[in-house]
């Protein structure tokens, strides 16, 4: 280790200290105000970005000073190798983030005067992931930014109550769209005082490329305006939601976790199609298990019968999809158990990475248990099947979760434009 390498590490630390502190570090130290200044001159030891900033700087210095025995020629591969040390699942998020950075889009946030949204917005701008549009009271936004040392340069802040002309235009649009579904012009004008409707109309009219809401209210209340304004893709009868589960055993996908309360067998087939398409968008081939409390007819009852019928229908509609059921969750995830007890299963050689639940109750419980005591990080809910990119955050989502969901929304917007 020579002086050039030491200096390279010093300069890398200095540059990193000026970047926005990630939520993971804030939580570890119980301080949301960490920012470059008198009380924060170097990054914290628990900052996971250290390996990605210092290591390449030291390696370059070693090469330039002539002491490197194995010069690096492919820096992208080197960067990927470093990221792999953070975990296999991180690769998925890195790929999403990199894709978003390739063509950032305008993302409107309904809860633009919430601290977590503001913190996420700063990170999104600094990392070049998105162009945030924040709906909220401008004075409150400014006060929160000052109190928490946030730099919102590059973010557009809109107080919808001061946008009288635009709200009236949006109300006219909503009235024309919903006038035969019980919405009068007066009702449309009243609804446009709500940020969820205003944000959805921004997306609908092309003033934004994606819309995110739901941080501070129930899922059903958050999704309703988007369904009324945006609606499902042409040809689809329903939308659904999916969670990406990042666990040490690998990435998994759970659906439906928030939208369809008690889907029929036919509904589940639609959910299978939406989920398989979304899983492939992550660069992963879906291996789908239809979940029940029964293994291939071992129990009788309304729910196992529904999942058996859904399995038959899905296999007919998607013959090239690796799918089987009905089966219990542990059976789906345990390849040894599948091979030993059910060698006839289509999933016996690989196990499942995508679980389709019989109702929202079981799916919702499963992902929340994994999130709280199973050591898993969850990304979602990822809303599938909307005509334009809309995503509903889970209540109390972390800054990291907001950033991840925004990156997914940007990818959705990119695909929509294609």
């Amino acid at each position: 280790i020579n002086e050039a390498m030491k200096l390279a590490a010093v300069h890398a630390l200095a540059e990193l200290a000026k970047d926005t502190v990630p939520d993971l570090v804030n939580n570890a130290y119980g301080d949301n105000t960490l920012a470059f200044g008198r009380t924060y001159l170097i990054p914290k030891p628990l900052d996971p970005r250290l390996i990605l900033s210092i290591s390449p700087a030291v390696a370059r210095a070693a090469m330039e000073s002539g002491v490197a025995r194995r010069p690096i020629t492919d820096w992208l591969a080197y960067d990927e190798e470093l990221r792999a040390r953070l975990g296999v699942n991180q690769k998925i998020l890195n790929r999403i983030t990199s894709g978003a950075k390739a063509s950032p889009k305008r993302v409107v946030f309904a809860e633009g005067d919430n601290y977590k949204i503001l913190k996420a917005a700063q990170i999104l701008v600094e990392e070049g992931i998105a162009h945030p549009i924040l709906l909220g009271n401008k004075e409150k936004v400014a006060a929160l930014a000052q109190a928490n040392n946030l730099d919102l340069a590059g973010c557009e802040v809109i107080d919808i109550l001061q946008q009288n002309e635009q709200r009236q235009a949006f109300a006219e649009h909503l009235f024309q769209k919903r006038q035969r579904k019980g919405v009068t012009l007066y009702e449309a004008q009243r609804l446009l005082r709500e940020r969820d409707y205003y944000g959805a109309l921004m997306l609908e009219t092309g003033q934004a490329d994606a819309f995110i809401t739901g941080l501070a209210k129930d899922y059903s209340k958050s999704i309703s305006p988007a369904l009324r304004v945006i609606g499902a893709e042409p040809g689809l009868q329903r939308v659904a939601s999916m969670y990406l589960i990042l666990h040490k055993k690998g990435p998994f996908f759970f659906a439906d976790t928030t939208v369809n309360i008690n889907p029929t067998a036919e509904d589940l087939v639609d959910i299978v199609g939406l989920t398989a398409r979304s899983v492939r968008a992550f660069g992963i081939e879906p291996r789908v298990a239809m979940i029940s409390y029964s293994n291939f007819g071992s129990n009788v009852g309304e729910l196992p019968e529904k999942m058996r019928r859904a399995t038959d229908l899905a296999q007919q509609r998607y013959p090239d999809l690796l799918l089987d059921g009905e089966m219990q969750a542990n059976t789906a995830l345990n390849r040894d158990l599948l091979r030993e007890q059910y060698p006839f299963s289509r999933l016996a050689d690989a196990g499942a990475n995508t679980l389709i639940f019989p109702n929202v109750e079981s799916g919702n419980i499963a992902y929340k248990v994994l999130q709280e005591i199973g050591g898993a990080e969850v990304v979602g809910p990822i809303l599938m099947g909307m005509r334009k990119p809309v995503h509903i955050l889970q209540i109390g989502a972390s800054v990291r979760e907001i950033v991840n969901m925004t990156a997914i929304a940007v990818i959705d917007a990119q695909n929509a434009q294609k």
Side-chain angles (χ1 to χ4, degrees), residues 169-180:
F170 282 166
E172 293 282 353
H173 187 104
L174 181 60
F175 172 61
Q176 293 298 324
K177 189 180 185 75
R178 305 287 301 185
Q179 60 185 346
R180 291 187 178 275

Side-chain angles (χ1 to χ4, degrees), residues 13 51 128 147 171 265 277 306 332 374 407-408 418:
L13 283 166
I51 189 174
R277 183 180 68 176
K306 178 174 76 169
I408 291 172
K418 293 176 184 177

Side-chain angles (χ1 to χ4, degrees), residues 54-64 70-83:
I54 297 176
S55 303
V58 172
R60 288 181 187 276
M63 291 169 57
E64 292 169 359
R70 292 189 296 170
I72 298 169
T73 57
D74 189 341
W75 287 96
L76 288 177
Y78 177 66
D79 183 69
E80 284 299 314
E81 192 272 333
L82 291 175
R83 292 179 183 276

Side-chain angles (χ1 to χ4, degrees), residues 64-298:
E64 292 169 359
S65 60
V67 300
R69 296 181 182 180
R70 292 189 296 170
I72 298 169
T73 57
D74 189 341
W75 287 96
L76 288 177
Y78 177 66
D79 183 69
E80 284 299 314
E81 192 272 333
L82 291 175
R83 292 179 183 276
R85 300 187 188 189
L86 297 175
V88 175
N89 291 314
Q90 188 63 34
K91 289 184 177 181
I92 297 176
L93 296 179
N94 291 339
R95 186 163 59 244
I96 294 169
T97 302
S98 297
K101 290 180 179 180
S103 181
K105 301 300 178 185
R106 300 164 299 169
V107 181
V108 57
F109 295 88
E111 293 128 328
D113 52 9
N114 180 288
Y115 160 74
K116 290 182 179 179
I117 296 293
L118 298 183
K119 178 78 171 180
Q122 179 177 342
I123 294 171
L124 292 168
V125 171
E126 289 181 349
E127 297 190 7
I129 295 172
H131 305 299
I133 303 172
L134 308 171
L135 304 185
N137 181 280
K138 291 186 177 181
E139 294 181 357
K140 183 178 179 181
V141 170
L144 280 170
Q146 183 176 9
N148 293 281
N149 296 318
L150 300 176
D151 181 3
L152 297 181
C155 299
E156 181 181 359
V157 181
I158 298 177
D159 187 339
I160 69 170
L161 298 182
Q162 296 179 359
Q163 305 295 315
N164 295 331
E165 185 175 337
Q166 184 63 80
R167 280 193 295 110
Q168 181 60 34
F170 282 166
E172 293 282 353
H173 187 104
L174 181 60
F175 172 61
Q176 293 298 324
K177 189 180 185 75
R178 305 287 301 185
Q179 60 185 346
R180 291 187 178 275
K181 296 185 178 180
V183 177
T184 64
L185 179 58
Y186 176 82
E187 174 71 2
Q189 292 169 337
R190 184 188 67 79
L191 291 174
L192 260 300
R193 298 179 67 85
E194 299 179 16
R195 295 183 207 169
D196 281 341
Y197 277 95
Y198 194 97
L201 262 298
M202 288 188 70
L203 176 60
E204 171 72 2
T205 58
Q207 297 183 35
D209 303 305
F211 176 49
I212 291 181
T213 184
L215 182 63
K217 69 173 89 172
D218 291 340
Y219 194 93
S220 60
K221 295 178 181 177
S222 297
I223 195 175
S224 178
L227 290 173
R228 299 177 79 182
V229 174
I230 306 298
E233 292 179 26
L236 291 183
Q237 300 300 314
R238 69 188 60 260
V239 299
S241 73
M242 175 186 78
Y243 268 95
L244 165 59
I245 310 295
L246 300 175
H247 190 269
K248 62 183 179 181
K249 292 186 177 181
F252 299 96
F253 302 88
F254 288 11
D256 180 1
T257 50
T258 52
V259 178
N260 296 281
I261 304 299
N262 188 24
T264 65
E266 290 74 17
D267 296 337
L268 286 166
V269 177
D270 293 336
I271 293 171
V272 167
L274 285 172
T275 306
R277 183 180 68 176
S278 296
V279 172
R280 290 189 176 110
F282 284 96
I284 297 173
E285 187 60 27
R287 305 188 303 273
V288 183
M290 308 297 285
I291 301 302
S292 176
Y293 60 79
S294 171
N295 282 316
F296 306 102
S298 64

